[in-house]
Amino acid sequence: MSQTILVTGATGKTGRRLIPLLARRGVTIRAASRSPIHTPTPGVEPIRFDWADESTYEPSLKGVDAIYLVPGDFFTPGDPSEQIRVFLKKASHAGVQRAVLLSAFGADSLFGVGDAPPAEFLRQVELTVETSGLSWTHVRPGGFMQNFSEGHFLRLTERIREHDEIVHPGGDGLVSWVSTEDIAAVAAATLTLDGHAGKAYSVLGPQPLTLAEVAAHISAAAGRPIKYVPTPPNYVRDSLVALGLPPEPAGAINAVYEFSLGSGAYGAHNDDVERVTGRPPATFAEFAAGAAAAWRR
């Protein structure tokens, strides 16, 4: 019998790359998102799903064996850990066996500095999954390479294309940027293969880079000079408030960005991608070469 996997966040950076990987493995896919794309694809069923609308939970779970779990974004109303608790309770009743959570690097250790308190947002979500009764795996990626070439609340792609500059917090801090293709590959393996239950993988790129080095790679791919411009204090907070997020959560997110990127805590590297997928992660130069069209004027 074919396995059925529910992919939440199906139109997001990792979800839309995960779906074809699962399809190649012969999996039946339920592609869930707030605005599902109804493109006829064999083995893929688009379905509406909204973390803020509990009525969408049960229909998405019928006949599902495993779930790729992407929590709501900054702007999703409600408590993410409570939403996931309710959802996974329904999932358990529906016979779901496995959940793979898209978390973030450092969720368990406050970005490598001490132990994260249980109330910390991402760790609280992880603990909710761990106590759900389902077999679980956490996928904890570092910063996404595709933030520079696809939609992002800091409008990175537009600033590169229109102004030849990267405006991003971090300064000289090192970050092991990772391709969302590699995140999807790790998720595909952990959703379909045994041996990953109860494990957490830090999905990182192969080379820690400063933002000036990122700019050099993008310059080479774009064929013109791109410079890194350090951000003023509270740049992330102000950007999120301008998009409608209340100042308090925006300030908390700002603090995480400035600490995790500026401190170098995201500059760790390991072999988790290769151990899970059997191949090394993509380099930033490889990503930039493939994404060059995003920065053409």
Side-chain angles (χ1 to χ4, degrees), residues 126-134 136:
E126 289 189 346
L127 290 172
T128 301
V129 176
E130 291 173 24
T131 56
S132 67
L134 275 64
W136 60 267

Side-chain angles (χ1 to χ4, degrees), residues 279-294:
R279 59 169 177 74
T283 66
F284 202 98
E286 290 168 336
F287 152 72

Side-chain angles (χ1 to χ4, degrees), residues 90-104:
K90 293 179 183 294
S92 180
H93 290 160
V96 176
Q97 299 297 310
R98 181 180 302 186
V100 172
L101 172 70
L102 180 68
S103 185

Side-chain angles (χ1 to χ4, degrees), residues 145-190:
M145 293 178 182
Q146 280 77 6
N147 285 349
F148 296 98
S149 62
E150 299 178 12
H152 190 268
F153 72 90
L154 294 180
R155 299 186 72 250
L156 298 171
T157 308
E158 294 89 341
R159 293 296 291 262
I160 295 168
R161 187 172 58 238
E162 297 167 11
H163 302 287
D164 296 337
E165 61 185 22
I166 296 170
V167 183
H168 198 287
D172 294 328
L174 292 168
V175 176
S176 295
W177 301 97
V178 63
S179 172
T180 54
E181 301 281 358
D182 291 322
I183 301 168
V186 170
T190 56

